Amino acid sequence: MDDYPGKSPDHLTINVTHRDDPVFEVTQADAFASVRKYPNIVVRGPLFGLAEQRRGERPRWRLLGELDTGFPQMTRDELNSLLWFRAKDDVEDRAVRRSLLEAVTRLETEPVNEVTADGVRYRVVRADEFTRIGGGRLEPPRATDPDDDSWDLDAPDPSRTKGFVVDHAAAVGLAEGIDRAGLLQLSYTASRFPEDVRADSQRALTTHPGVVLLPTTFRVVERKELSWSMVTGQYSTPQGARRALVHHLTRPVPELPDLPELPEWMKVDEKEAAIHARAAKKFTARRRPNELVVRGRQYEVVRVERVMRIGPDGPETPRPSDVDDYGPSKIHPTMDEHGVVTYGA
């Protein structure tokens, strides 16, 4: 490559390694078998989250949350709050607080995707969510995916995304290396995507030619005749998604006296609730089930992957065609460099 004489830059390097480890070997074999069985990809769309880059960590970035937001501005507001509360609760130095509040001021008035405060770069980053498909079925969890067996519906969902280090040149196994190489040219080409979305997607192949796979997540979907619809959010383990399905079936939205009456489609009568409860009981009696049919509705636990494009300066930010429902605004009271908060200002 004439543009990069000698060693390739990190955002173009896929470093494949092998470990003499039985668990590693089994995981690799499972990955190869799954890709053969589910060879095609269905792209759902973009997700957004926050990343930071601290002094001495370049070119690596670290994710600050789940990367599960559907709109860039929601993530900018999340960054606004993160920096405001750091200024309020975590610092004593006035210069540091002033730096944080200057970034907050920008986020209140501009749809910016990166700010620097106290020497730390904060960025709104973008990834595409996709699932693998084969034989008309979406890929279920793999036997080697991290999992548990608890049916405690109030159990926390441990994050595998928060704190994840985005490092394109980090060593990966052969299966992931091949996956990433196959995703290098992934773009939106279907006619269901608007023309500007397809154009931005094609442009990203050049501006951000590298790809990194983020930790896998899991969702429950409902299978329709010709499509699937999402039932739950994303979870770090298949069991987390299974618990969410049981919660969906057995804990309907309560009717509170201070809230308007629920619409008819959200109400569940006693007979329907009993059917859901019996189905949930049978579901929880099985070990790690991935399918459930209730009253003709078919629910499936599916494996969801996320790919982030990487350029010379790190992870991709939102594209011009990524849609926001609203713009930046002031979401916290005014604070001065001494930490004094003025309400109503």
Side-chain angles (χ1 to χ4, degrees):
M1 297 177 64
D2 295 337
D3 292 339
Y4 302 103
K7 183 178 181 294
S8 294
D10 283 350
H11 73 284
L12 297 178
T13 300
I14 299 180
N15 182 10
V16 174
T17 189
H18 175 79
R19 296 203 309 267
D20 189 15
D21 173 356
V23 174
F24 178 81
E25 295 281 0
V26 171
T27 301
Q28 294 292 293
D30 193 22
F32 282 122
S34 293
V35 171
R36 285 195 297 269
K37 188 172 182 179
Y38 303 95
N40 301 314
I41 285 175
V42 177
V43 178
R44 175 176 170 265
L47 293 171
F48 305 93
L50 294 177
E52 69 174 15
Q53 185 183 70
R54 294 183 173 269
R55 296 184 183 97
E57 293 188 347
R58 296 179 181 176
R60 295 172 294 280
W61 292 74
R62 190 179 303 274
L63 298 182
L64 297 180
E66 291 305 306
L67 208 121
D68 60 356
T69 301
F71 302 96
Q73 188 58 46
M74 293 175 68
T75 306
R76 297 185 195 109
D77 289 347
E78 182 184 343
L79 178 56
N80 183 327
S81 291
L82 174 73
L83 299 181
W84 192 90
F85 280 107
R86 282 186 178 176
K88 176 178 177 291
D89 300 327
D90 298 341
V91 300
E92 298 291 338
D93 186 281
R94 283 189 296 170
V96 173
R97 183 178 289 115
R98 187 165 54 246
S99 177
L100 292 166
L101 293 176
E102 286 172 356
V104 168
T105 299
R106 286 197 67 196
L107 288 162
E108 290 175 341
T109 57
E110 304 174 50
V112 292
N113 293 319
E114 183 174 323
V115 295
T116 298
D118 189 30
V120 180
R121 298 173 71 187
Y122 297 93
R123 178 176 291 183
V124 177
V125 294
R126 182 190 196 282
D128 281 308
E129 183 180 49
F130 69 91
T131 56
R132 299 182 187 274
I133 187 171
R137 292 177 57 88
L138 298 181
E139 182 182 14
R142 298 175 185 174
T144 52
D145 286 326
D147 209 353
D148 67 82
D149 294 315
S150 170
W151 286 110
D152 178 3
L153 300 191
D154 297 315
D157 185 54
S159 175
R160 293 195 301 128
T161 303
K162 185 177 181 179
F164 178 81
V165 176
V166 180
D167 182 1
H168 196 280
V172 297
L174 179 60
E176 182 171 334
I178 292 174
D179 272 355
R180 283 170 57 183
L183 291 167
L184 289 174
Q185 297 301 311
L186 179 67
S187 65
Y188 296 4
T189 57
S191 58
R192 65 186 175 92
F193 294 111
E195 184 177 350
D196 60 338
V197 171
R198 298 198 302 270
D200 280 352
S201 181
Q202 189 65 33
R203 189 178 303 111
L205 302 184
T206 301
T207 61
H208 294 78
V211 295
V212 165
L213 285 168
L214 304 183
T216 304
T217 62
F218 304 86
R219 293 184 185 269
V220 176
V221 300
E222 182 182 349
R223 181 168 186 159
K224 309 290 180 118
E225 185 177 355
L226 298 174
S227 64
W228 293 263
S229 62
M230 286 196 309
V231 176
T232 71
Q234 62 185 33
Y235 291 85
S236 62
T237 65
Q239 191 71 6
R242 297 182 192 112
R243 288 191 290 264
L245 175 57
V246 174
H247 189 285
H248 172 76
L249 293 172
T250 62
R251 296 183 178 179
V253 179
E255 295 188 49
L256 301 178
D258 295 335
L259 295 179
E261 183 179 0
L262 292 175
E264 289 299 322
W265 67 271
M266 292 184 68
K267 295 180 181 179
V268 178
D269 62 30
E270 292 185 6
K271 180 179 178 182
E272 197 77 8
I275 292 171
H276 286 180
R278 287 196 298 270
K281 185 176 181 179
K282 291 181 180 179
F283 188 68
T284 58
R286 298 155 58 193
R287 186 172 185 270
R288 300 185 178 180
N290 292 321
E291 295 184 5
L292 176 65
V293 178
V294 184
R295 304 277 282 182
R297 303 178 70 173
Q298 183 169 336
Y299 300 101
E300 299 177 2
V301 178
V302 297
R303 191 176 198 271
V304 178
E305 298 183 66
R306 295 166 296 173
V307 59
M308 177 179 285
R309 301 207 70 90
I310 310 295
D313 193 37
E316 184 182 16
T317 58
R319 299 170 183 171
S321 57
D322 290 327
V323 177
D324 276 321
D325 283 344
Y326 62 96
S329 63
K330 187 178 180 65
I331 57 178
H332 293 289
T334 299
M335 186 191 316
D336 67 19
E337 64 182 39
H338 301 282
V340 177
V341 177
T342 303
Y343 293 90

